[in-house]
Amino acid sequence: MVPVPPAIASLTRPAENLFTYYFLRALATLPALPITLPLLYFRYHTMRYEFSPEGIRMSWGVLFRHEIVLNYARIQDIHLRSNAIERWLGLARIEIQTASGSSSAEMVLEGIPDPAAMRDFLYDRMRGASTPTADPNASLAAILHEIAAEMRALRLALNPEAPPLHPHG
């Protein structure tokens, strides 16, 4: 299993400017400010990330604790989204979708310092997770030749009187 790069593994909390964004979001809901500000405050202060060689774990919440564990192999698509205020604060959301059948994202990573690098890391893990046992030094041609030889041996074992096929046919 390939280890997680130290810059990614060390991310356990969202960036501080995410709280600024949450505060501005709460201000936008002026009549509901007494409700939204504490919700977003506790979301920010309880949000935790853990990046392991197998997948991602995200948790948050005080009264209603949420925890999502997502294996890299389950990732189907990754979207990087940000509105004008998020871009002004240097933030972006990384929306991770799986084949769960839902149209919404399974996990949304917020407050990541370098969202483009995180997206690239997730794409690499997503692509690499589908073939964890493949030998990176083996070429496709060598694998195909090995499969063809096995097929020829099976054909001869099942039908010994069959004429041998041309090695490339």
Side-chain angles (χ1 to χ4, degrees):
M1 193 80 29
V2 179
V4 177
I8 302 286
S10 66
L11 292 174
T12 58
R13 302 247 320 115
E16 289 182 18
N17 49 358
L18 180 63
F19 183 69
T20 305
Y21 175 70
Y22 280 174
F23 181 75
L24 294 173
R25 265 181 60 186
L27 280 179
T29 63
L30 195 56
L33 183 68
I35 296 169
T36 57
L37 188 58
L39 289 174
L40 292 172
Y41 174 84
F42 286 116
R43 177 179 171 88
Y44 172 78
H45 284 288
T46 60
M47 191 180 300
R48 300 287 183 269
Y49 299 120
E50 182 182 330
F51 298 91
S52 72
E54 295 84 29
I56 311 164
R57 185 182 152 274
M58 179 182 175
S59 62
W60 71 96
V62 175
L63 294 176
F64 301 101
R65 190 82 177 142
H66 300 273
E67 184 171 336
I68 302 171
V69 178
L70 187 61
N71 290 337
Y72 298 119
R74 290 190 54 221
I75 297 174
Q76 295 289 314
D77 204 4
I78 302 165
H79 297 278
L80 197 58
R81 299 201 191 281
S82 61
N83 59 34
I85 296 171
E86 286 172 316
R87 285 191 302 275
W88 176 63
L89 292 170
L91 297 171
R93 287 166 285 153
I94 302 169
E95 298 176 354
I96 302 171
Q97 294 181 326
T98 64
S100 65
S102 173
S103 62
S104 63
E106 180 88 15
M107 180 184 284
V108 179
L109 301 176
E110 297 178 287
I112 303 296
D114 189 355
M118 178 62 74
R119 179 201 55 209
D120 295 343
F121 164 76
L122 293 172
Y123 268 127
D124 288 343
R125 290 298 165 116
M126 176 181 94
R127 290 182 189 121
S130 60
T131 57
T133 59
D135 180 6
N137 298 322
S139 70
L140 180 60
I143 293 170
L144 290 175
H145 283 294
E146 185 178 331
I147 291 171
E150 288 290 326
M151 295 297 289
R152 277 188 219 94
L154 279 173
R155 182 175 180 273
L156 289 174
L158 292 173
N159 189 0
E161 292 92 31
L165 293 176
H166 185 271
H168 299 291

